[in-house]
């Protein structure tokens, strides 16, 4: 969730759906003082890898509507969001973003994994898909990792 907030914040501030990577990095590092410039660049890589950002024509674009994200007062992302997350963690976060309680999601995913004898990633993708959450990119990533 905090990765989505960190990605949305520069676009919300700019009132734009695209911006040069350099402007994105300046917003996160110098304007907000959330990260160093190198860490902000790392965040771009992580967010792109997780399907939250796309690079098009030298511009960064969020793959979601930033207006649907609220940046809480006093928000400061933890540096842990700069680490690549597993497909399971990404799908779990997507479920939480859609209002599913963490305990409910984890229990449902574990049940699917046990009943279907599939990987945790496959169970998470199936759990989210059954609830109408678009996890196609995560499903593709899980398949690539096999």
């Amino acid at each position: 969730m905090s990765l989505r907030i960190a990605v949305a914040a520069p676009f919300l501030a700019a009132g734009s759906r695209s911006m040069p990577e350099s402007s994105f990095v300046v917003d996160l590092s110098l304007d907000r003082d959330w990260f160093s410039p190198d860490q902000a660049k790392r965040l771009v890589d992580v967010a792109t890898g997780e399907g939250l950002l796309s690079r098009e024509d030298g511009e960064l674009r969020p793959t979601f509507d930033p207006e649907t994200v609220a940046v809480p007062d006093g928000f400061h992302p933890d540096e842990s969001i700069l680490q690549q997350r597993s497909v399971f963690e990404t799908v779990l976060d997507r479920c939480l973003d859609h209002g599913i309680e963490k305990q409910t999601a984890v229990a449902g995913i574990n049940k699917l994994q046990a009943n279907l004898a599939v990987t945790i990633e496959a169970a998470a993708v199936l759990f989210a898909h059954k609830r109408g959450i678009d996890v196609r990119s995560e499903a593709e990533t899980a398949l690539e990792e096999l």
Side-chain angles (χ1 to χ4, degrees), residues 115-127:
N115 290 343
L116 300 175
V118 295
T119 65
I120 193 75
E121 291 82 4
V125 166
L126 182 59
F127 179 87

Side-chain angles (χ1 to χ4, degrees), residues 87-129:
V87 170
F88 168 75
E89 292 168 317
T90 303
V91 173
L92 181 59
D93 278 351
R94 299 286 309 281
C95 291
L96 300 178
D97 291 344
H98 281 82
I100 300 171
E101 293 290 328
K102 185 174 185 175
Q103 184 176 1
T104 302
V106 171
I109 292 166
N110 286 340
K111 184 176 180 181
L112 281 171
Q113 182 185 21
N115 290 343
L116 300 175
V118 295
T119 65
I120 193 75
E121 291 82 4
V125 166
L126 182 59
F127 179 87
H129 177 73

Side-chain angles (χ1 to χ4, degrees), residues 1-142:
M1 182 72 166
S2 60
L3 179 60
R4 185 176 290 258
I5 294 170
V7 168
F11 295 101
L12 291 170
S16 175
R17 292 290 308 235
S18 69
M19 67 176 49
E21 183 172 340
S22 60
S23 297
F24 186 88
V25 168
V26 165
D27 183 275
L28 292 176
S29 59
L30 300 178
D31 296 347
R32 296 177 190 277
D33 196 28
W34 284 353
F35 302 106
S36 71
D38 286 341
Q39 289 173 317
K41 290 175 187 174
R42 174 73 180 136
L43 184 130
V44 170
D45 292 338
V46 170
T48 301
E50 293 197 19
L52 294 174
L53 280 176
S54 66
R55 287 183 171 110
E56 300 171 24
D57 303 323
E59 299 271 311
L60 292 178
R61 289 182 168 74
T63 59
F64 60 95
D65 182 0
E67 296 292 331
T68 63
V69 177
V71 181
D73 288 338
F75 175 79
H76 195 291
D78 188 86
E79 289 183 19
S80 65
I81 68 170
L82 301 175
Q83 299 171 355
Q84 290 283 28
R85 296 181 295 170
S86 69
V87 170
F88 168 75
E89 292 168 317
T90 303
V91 173
L92 181 59
D93 278 351
R94 299 286 309 281
C95 291
L96 300 178
D97 291 344
H98 281 82
I100 300 171
E101 293 290 328
K102 185 174 185 175
Q103 184 176 1
T104 302
V106 171
I109 292 166
N110 286 340
K111 184 176 180 181
L112 281 171
Q113 182 185 21
N115 290 343
L116 300 175
V118 295
T119 65
I120 193 75
E121 291 82 4
V125 166
L126 182 59
F127 179 87
H129 177 73
K130 283 184 169 185
R131 283 148 185 83
I133 301 169
D134 182 7
V135 288
R136 285 178 283 199
S137 65
E138 290 84 357
E140 290 174 12
T141 301

